[in-house]
Amino acid sequence: VLFPSKLNMKSAIIAALVGSAAAFAPAPVAKTTTSLSAFEDELGAQPPLGFFDPFGMLSGDVTQERFDRLRYVEIKHGRICQLAFLGQVVTRGGLHLPGDIDYSGDSFDSFPNGIAAIIGPDSIPTAGLVQIIAFIGWLECAFMRDVPGTGNEHIGDFRNGYIDFGWDD
């Protein structure tokens, strides 16, 4: 018997209740300052978080050029992910390019969808993957870049003075 008397049992219950009540007490919040307040007015900073930098890539001595570079890279990677997702949805929906992918007569729809198109027994041949990667690299170097002085309106504006739909008039 752990608690021989009723008084000890009541004392143990009261101690447990007081201890559990401390779990619901508000924790003190420390006020900290940061150099990120320089970017509080940037596009995308919204309440309640304000400027959100979860990985701390802009902590320390940060310049506007570094911020602009990281935003540029974020926009470009986001667009690449959107195209990859769209490619998955379209090919899984059964839509494929017409014609043959090579001179031996393999059609575009003869290859599997998803990761099986890259690795596996029925995957696209290595020479085809090299051509795809080379084409993407050529697009990256030739077109998908921000050319200064061509009328770009914001970071990640890759129109470079070529495309103007008149939306800004």
Side-chain angles (χ1 to χ4, degrees), residues 14-77:
I14 290 173
L17 288 175
V18 169
S20 65
F24 298 102
V29 178
K31 293 287 184 181
T32 58
T33 61
T34 177
S35 64
L36 296 180
S37 61
F39 303 112
E40 285 293 330
D41 295 330
E42 291 290 338
L43 182 65
Q46 300 176 357
L49 294 177
F51 180 74
F52 186 58
D53 184 20
F55 295 118
M57 297 181 78
L58 294 174
S59 59
D61 187 23
V62 180
T63 62
Q64 185 68 37
E65 291 80 24
R66 170 121 172 103
F67 176 81
D68 290 342
R69 173 69 182 152
L70 289 175
R71 176 154 288 181
Y72 170 84
V73 170
E74 178 186 15
I75 290 171
K76 184 178 271 191
H77 288 166

Side-chain angles (χ1 to χ4, degrees), residues 43 60 92 94 114 142 163:
L43 182 65
R92 296 225 182 229
I163 301 172

Side-chain angles (χ1 to χ4, degrees), residues 100-114:
D100 296 332
I101 195 170
D102 57 11
Y103 291 122
S104 64
D106 295 324
S107 63
F108 283 99
D109 59 353
S110 66
F111 294 102
N113 298 324

